[in-house]
Amino acid sequence: MKSLTDPSQALSTGLAKIRTEFHVPDGFPVGVMATAEAAAKRVPNQHVDRTAMRFVTLDPASSTDLDQAFSIEASGGDLLLHYAIADAAWFVEDGDAIDLEAWTRGETLYLPDGKAGLYPPVIAEGAASLLPDGSRPAVVFTVRVAQDGATKLDGAERAIIQSRAKLAYDSVKASDVPAGFAEMARRMAMNEKRRGASRVDPPEQEVERLADGTFRLSFRPLLQSEQDNAALSLAANMAIADAMFAHHTGLFRVMSEPDAFSVQRLRSAAQALGLSWPASTSLRDYQRTLDPTDPQQAALMLEIRHASAGASYQPYKEGVVPWHEAMAATYAHATAPLRRLADRYVVRCALAIANGQPVSQAVTDAFARLPQVMGRADSHASQINHAAIDLAEAVMLKGREGETFKAAVTDVVDHGVRVQLADMPVVANVKASGLRQGDDLTLRLVLADPDQRSIVFEPV
């Protein structure tokens, strides 16, 4: 991790420029805010009282838009996950000002110096957020997780819940979470292995704002607490997806596998990085063995992610099994309705199915429109993230023009190679020929321009 020295405020200025360039919303229109203020005062009257249950949340310490709270209990050899999801639909009505604005945004946008929310803060960080400062309306999904990690949606209900603790990834202790938390994560990991899932979480470049207002650029692998917490969402999303598919409706997250050419290219990359990939081992099995804390293995994990066509959304189609190759399962997004538009409709769909009710026409119509809206939103968020990283790299290196840096080639790209600097979390493209993946080289910094978010190296 590297702190960014920014006495000229180039980073702050650059982030403001990114917000303008990529049309990041600054607040909400007056009409939307007025509708949200009124909606936040709605008294839940379709919810059962579940405040006696011990729910907790687990998120980054600074998060205030809390979508999920959980409680776990044993049921014979099974574990029951009671997963409370923020009831965004209670505060947002089809066609109101909040809803129309959400359809233009698609998802919450995150920048190092703040975020542009999907919904106004009075809802997303107040009335709907599952904070521990009072009771909140939620949709509680009960997911049965068997000893082999198989999941099944046992039920869903609108309920009033009370979170007992706001836990943070970097400080949570085993005694803080419900009994069965680690066991559930173990079961889900075992089930992923049995299915042949190839889901991997490589470390990625990240620009983080620190408590003192400064920033740092880093490669950050997921903490164990994050991985274990993700298993809860995985269990719920898989169970909900299966329920929707069985009822011939829904919106699914789909992803295809890399083609044969891409797999062979990845094998060459592994060899160049000095990694042993047996010819008899599939990509799916091999990538599950990779360690994100090892630089060479982390580099290959990133290349594997780049080799995929990426995930997208797909509504139910008769005779078509929606498939997410990395999950090796039918999969959906349901657990982040305060941050993703699509989740609000999937939650409504699953709630209806679990209670034997018809899925509303408004939800079915939304499923047809959402793939395009969410695809555009995902692309927008990715562009902003890459721009912020490019800016941070340029700020970090500004004033060091002429210095040399050790680096390693991670990939061969058009007109050159992609490299990872040895001593700082910087990735760059360099014009060079005759190099292979895994080669070491020395680079001279020619240019670091925060205004253009550009860095240029040349081989020594």
Side-chain angles (χ1 to χ4, degrees):
M1 296 185 181
K2 297 288 184 179
S3 295
L4 303 182
T5 303
D6 187 25
S8 64
Q9 298 299 302
L11 189 61
S12 298
T13 301
L15 289 171
K17 184 177 179 181
I18 288 172
R19 289 175 177 274
T20 300
E21 180 180 338
F22 290 95
H23 306 289
V24 177
D26 182 13
F28 287 84
V30 173
V32 176
M33 288 300 296
T35 304
E37 292 283 355
K41 298 175 183 177
R42 290 188 64 189
V43 178
N45 58 18
Q46 299 177 17
H47 301 69
V48 296
D49 186 350
R50 298 293 183 230
T51 54
M53 298 178 67
R54 188 181 184 278
F55 285 97
V56 298
T57 62
L58 180 56
D59 297 272
S62 60
S63 293
T64 52
D65 50 350
L66 308 185
D67 292 285
Q68 311 121 10
F70 60 94
S71 177
I72 300 172
E73 65 173 309
S75 176
D78 297 339
L79 291 174
L80 292 183
L81 168 64
H82 302 292
Y83 212 29
I85 305 301
D87 193 357
W90 180 253
F91 301 98
V92 184
E93 298 182 342
D94 293 330
D96 71 10
I98 312 168
D99 180 49
L100 296 177
E101 181 69 16
W103 275 88
T104 68
R105 299 186 180 214
E107 63 185 65
T108 295
L109 299 175
Y110 292 93
L111 287 90
D113 60 347
K115 63 190 176 189
L118 176 63
Y119 300 116
V122 68
I123 291 176
E125 301 175 52
S129 180
L130 304 181
L131 293 161
D133 58 358
S135 60
R136 295 289 195 281
V139 176
V140 179
F141 292 102
T142 297
V143 178
R144 182 175 295 273
V145 180
Q147 290 180 325
D148 65 356
T151 62
K152 178 179 178 294
L153 183 63
D154 267 12
E157 62 181 4
R158 274 183 149 163
I160 301 297
I161 70 140
Q162 167 72 65
S163 173
R164 305 300 175 86
K166 181 179 183 291
L167 307 176
Y169 291 136
D170 59 1
S171 61
V172 65
K173 301 186 296 291
S175 58
D176 296 331
V177 294
F181 177 72
E183 171 60 16
M184 182 166 291
R186 188 194 68 80
R187 293 185 183 190
M188 293 306 299
M190 180 174 62
N191 187 263
E192 283 193 87
K193 185 175 182 179
R194 179 179 60 81
R195 297 194 315 270
S198 57
R199 182 176 66 93
V200 293
D201 295 303
E204 293 187 344
Q205 284 171 295
E206 176 182 86
V207 186
E208 177 186 7
R209 188 169 193 168
L210 304 178
D212 61 2
T214 61
F215 299 86
R216 72 181 171 200
L217 178 66
S218 64
F219 278 123
R220 190 183 68 82
L222 291 182
L223 299 171
Q224 187 61 49
S225 58
E226 292 177 89
Q227 297 179 53
D228 291 349
N229 194 48
L232 306 187
S233 289
L234 181 65
N237 285 331
M238 288 179 59
I240 289 169
D242 287 344
M244 291 193 300
F245 184 68
H247 285 78
H248 302 259
T249 185
L251 182 72
F252 303 91
R253 194 71 166 152
V254 296
M255 182 179 182
S256 60
E257 63 179 335
D259 58 27
F261 175 80
S262 297
V263 173
Q264 185 55 49
R265 186 166 167 273
L266 290 169
R267 284 188 174 275
S268 298
Q271 182 178 3
L273 289 166
L275 303 177
S276 175
W277 181 351
S280 60
T281 303
S282 68
L283 170 62
R284 178 181 296 173
D285 291 338
Y286 178 64
Q287 64 182 333
R288 291 180 59 84
T289 69
L290 297 175
D291 179 2
T293 64
D294 178 86
Q296 282 71 35
Q297 295 182 56
L300 185 62
M301 292 171 77
L302 288 171
E303 293 308 315
I304 292 171
R305 173 165 289 185
H306 294 324
S308 169
S312 59
Y313 291 89
Q314 177 181 300
Y316 175 81
K317 297 178 182 178
E318 193 66 39
V320 176
V321 178
W323 196 250
H324 194 296
E325 176 61 28
M327 299 293 183
T330 297
Y331 191 67
H333 274 169
T335 57
L338 297 181
R339 291 172 284 147
R340 288 189 302 247
L341 174 65
D343 295 41
R344 171 158 57 97
Y345 292 92
V346 173
V347 168
R348 289 171 63 182
C349 177
L351 181 62
I353 288 171
N355 290 280
Q357 300 169 353
V359 177
S360 73
Q361 191 62 47
V363 170
T364 300
D365 291 345
F367 286 160
R369 297 169 54 202
L370 279 164
Q372 182 177 3
V373 172
M374 296 305 298
R376 184 174 64 245
D378 285 347
S379 177
H380 191 208
S382 178
Q383 290 172 346
I384 291 170
N385 183 59
H386 285 305
I389 290 171
D390 289 345
L391 171 65
E393 290 179 334
V395 169
M396 175 179 286
L397 292 167
K398 180 66 176 175
R400 301 185 65 175
E401 291 84 350
E403 292 186 29
T404 58
F405 299 84
K406 297 294 185 182
V409 176
T410 60
D411 195 15
V412 177
V413 296
D414 290 340
H415 310 299
V417 293
R418 183 183 298 121
V419 302
Q420 157 80 60
L421 297 194
D423 297 323
M424 58 180 62
V426 172
V427 174
N429 287 345
V430 177
K431 291 182 179 180
S433 60
L435 294 170
R436 300 182 307 163
Q437 289 165 315
D439 285 350
D440 294 325
L441 72 164
T442 301
L443 301 173
R444 179 181 292 108
L445 179 63
V446 176
L447 174 71
D449 185 349
D451 187 57
Q452 297 298 318
R453 303 193 294 272
S454 176
I455 54 175
V456 178
F457 289 97
E458 63 180 11
V460 175

